[in-house]
Amino acid sequence: MDAIANGGYGDSRVFVSDIAALNLATVFNAATIRCQYVAMLPLITYYRDADGNKEKFSGSPLYSILHDRPNPLMTSYSWRSAMELHALFYGGGFSRIERDVIGRPTWLWLMDGKRMMPQLEDRGRRLTWKYRLASGRDEIHDDRDIIHIPGLSFDGIAGEGIIKLAAKSLWLTQATENFGQKFFENGLNAGGVITTPNALSPEARKNLKESIKERSKPANAHLTMLLEEGMTWNKITFSPEEAQFLGTRQFQDVEIARWFNLPLRMLKMPDASGLKNVEQIAIEMVQGTMLPRYVAWEQELNSKLFSSTSGTVTDRFAEFNVDGLLRGDSKTRAEVSHIMRLDGALNANEWRQRENMNLRDDPGGDEYWSQPNLAADKTNGAEDKPSEGDPPNEPPPEDPNAE
């Protein structure tokens, strides 16, 4: 099986398959976190009215498809997680849009990103996808019927997977783990030289070799070795610390965090950012790593699922609700909401909704406050005009003594 079919790239010395990469603890953790941050957020369908306000559009069939179950076999969580994993490892996550007789989406079926290949038709003006079935037969799909969540791409179409680009780094990580495994499988845990002042007969040499072989088994590790005929054991190897084995492993973990664009603390590793609050670390994760992915998802879903048959974007759209991940710590969140409440930008029920609390039953929950001293001065800049009850302005009487 060739390297590309396995998800790895390059020659055999740097080949790492997708399954082998997931066997590395840091890669597994990094991929899991990236996929979970896409899958766990509510993906909501909205409707925008003529005034530009948006409202949740739960009556749309697409709301149920994106929020609950994209197809009879998968939940929204499992579908989005698999799509993002394909995008990370193979450069693109793909799903086929199944439509009804009038062209409305009914199901989204996950496809294998390793088997997809883009094709440009009509002199590069139309995009189609060739999908290789397990039987070896090819299917051609129009781009409007394929949800494509891309990875990093040079041409904006075919993405590059992390496993391909990070093959050499992952190979070194795998080699480091293999070294550690072999080191601790060796019962002696160290190499050395046995010296003796006497010449050994062939029978003595044979017995010594068998003794060392038996002593080197993992089950006999740390047992005392008996040396005869004045033999001495001289240790000449160095420990893993001396060989910078542990330092190499830590460096490779940091390298994997860079490839997946994750803060070190998300992978349970210390860093020098100074962020100690868990909520601050989560905000850094969303803003620095996940927001670009959310934009890629939203643009693709809105262009493929909510556009009309003519390609015109409608007033419906899907959006990730990231408010819960960007709210900050409890104290900061309460201070911001309090200021918005006093300034009339938030009522009590809206505040309670943001904190995942039940609404108030009394009418006061929907009332907006305002500060009278901050009311707009509507006469600012206008000339003073007399009211209807004021006498008209008359010129002062003439002074008779004036010349």
Side-chain angles (χ1 to χ4, degrees):
M1 186 175 294
D2 59 84
I4 294 180
N6 279 280
Y9 292 77
D11 58 39
S12 59
R13 291 173 296 175
V14 297
F15 166 72
V16 179
S17 69
D18 48 2
I19 302 301
L22 281 177
N23 286 332
L24 300 174
T26 309
V27 173
F28 179 87
N29 195 15
T32 300
I33 292 172
R34 288 287 301 265
C35 294
Q36 286 178 342
Y37 263 76
V38 170
M40 70 181 181
L41 282 186
L43 182 55
I44 308 298
T45 301
Y46 293 97
Y47 172 81
R48 193 178 300 279
D49 59 23
D51 297 328
N53 301 317
K54 68 176 184 180
E55 297 182 4
K56 186 182 297 184
F57 193 29
S58 57
S60 170
L62 285 172
Y63 181 95
S64 177
I65 291 176
L66 295 177
H67 186 269
D68 302 319
R69 188 170 290 275
N71 61 67
L73 305 179
M74 309 177 75
T75 64
S76 179
Y77 180 97
S78 59
W79 173 70
R80 281 184 274 161
S81 179
M83 286 279 287
E84 186 67 9
L85 182 62
H86 278 234
L88 288 174
F89 274 43
Y90 309 135
F94 298 87
S95 286
R96 177 176 58 86
I97 305 173
E98 182 179 329
R99 304 179 186 271
D100 58 17
V101 293
I102 61 175
R104 295 176 302 185
T106 55
W107 298 115
L108 304 177
W109 297 97
L110 182 69
M111 307 180 76
D112 191 343
K114 293 183 296 185
R115 301 179 179 180
M116 296 292 287
M117 180 176 295
Q119 296 184 142
L120 293 177
E121 311 285 348
D122 299 336
R123 298 182 180 179
R125 298 180 180 180
R126 186 170 65 91
L127 175 63
T128 60
W129 294 93
K130 182 171 70 173
Y131 184 66
R132 177 64 57 86
L133 300 174
S135 62
R137 186 172 59 88
D138 292 336
E139 286 183 347
I140 305 299
H141 299 274
D142 193 272
D143 183 59
R144 66 179 295 270
D145 295 324
I146 296 294
I147 297 292
H148 173 214
I149 307 299
L152 185 66
S153 174
F154 288 101
D155 60 4
I157 300 175
E160 301 290 343
I162 289 180
I163 301 304
K164 171 187 175 181
L165 300 177
K168 292 185 178 180
S169 294
L170 297 180
W171 178 86
L172 180 57
T173 303
Q174 193 175 49
T176 305
E177 288 202 353
N178 291 338
F179 166 79
Q181 179 182 1
K182 294 297 182 182
F183 181 87
F184 290 107
E185 282 180 354
N186 182 4
L188 285 174
N189 288 333
V193 176
I194 297 176
T195 61
T196 176
N198 305 318
L200 297 180
S201 65
E203 185 69 18
R205 288 177 177 272
K206 179 180 178 182
N207 293 337
L208 179 60
K209 289 181 180 181
E210 291 179 354
S211 176
I212 295 176
K213 183 178 180 180
E214 181 68 20
R215 172 61 180 77
S216 299
K217 293 181 180 180
N220 297 330
H222 309 295
L223 294 180
T224 303
M225 177 182 289
L226 296 178
L227 299 178
E228 302 175 353
E229 300 183 12
M231 297 180 183
T232 58
W233 169 260
N234 300 299
K235 179 180 177 181
I236 63 173
T237 60
F238 37 80
S239 67
E241 290 81 3
E242 294 169 334
Q244 297 184 349
F245 168 68
L246 298 180
T248 301
R249 291 208 62 180
Q250 293 174 355
F251 174 78
Q252 289 306 117
D253 289 343
V254 174
E255 278 287 281
I256 293 174
R258 290 193 183 103
W259 280 110
F260 283 88
N261 192 25
L262 289 176
L264 295 181
R265 287 186 176 270
M266 295 300 297
L267 295 174
K268 315 301 185 295
M269 293 185 289
D271 62 9
S273 65
L275 298 178
K276 298 181 179 180
N277 189 291
V278 175
E279 293 166 317
Q280 292 177 341
I281 297 173
I283 292 175
E284 179 192 22
M285 170 70 182
V286 174
Q287 293 180 341
T289 302
M290 298 310 303
L291 279 181
R293 299 303 301 160
Y294 297 149
V295 172
W297 272 83
E298 290 169 355
Q299 290 185 353
E300 180 68 6
L301 293 177
N302 292 334
S303 64
K304 297 294 179 60
L305 299 180
F306 295 96
S307 59
S308 62
T309 55
S310 62
T312 304
V313 178
T314 64
D315 50 11
R316 292 177 298 162
F317 61 96
E319 190 175 77
F320 284 99
N321 185 2
V322 298
D323 293 342
L325 297 177
L326 296 175
R327 292 186 301 177
D329 58 88
S330 302
K331 182 176 183 296
T332 303
R333 190 168 66 247
E335 291 175 349
V336 172
S337 297
H338 184 258
I339 294 174
M340 297 179 67
R341 178 80 168 109
L342 293 180
D343 290 345
L346 199 70
N347 61 35
N349 281 337
E350 290 171 339
W351 189 345
R352 295 176 69 86
Q353 281 182 322
R354 296 173 65 171
E355 298 299 326
N356 198 26
M357 301 169 65
N358 293 331
L359 304 182
R360 288 172 49 175
D361 296 332
D362 59 292
D366 295 326
E367 293 180 353
Y368 290 92
W369 291 354
S370 62
Q371 300 186 43
N373 60 317
L374 297 179
D377 184 4
K378 297 181 180 180
T379 63
N380 184 27
E383 296 181 359
D384 293 336
K385 297 182 180 179
S387 60
E388 295 180 356
D390 294 338
N393 295 330
E394 298 180 357
E398 297 181 359
D399 186 357
N401 296 324
E403 297 180 357

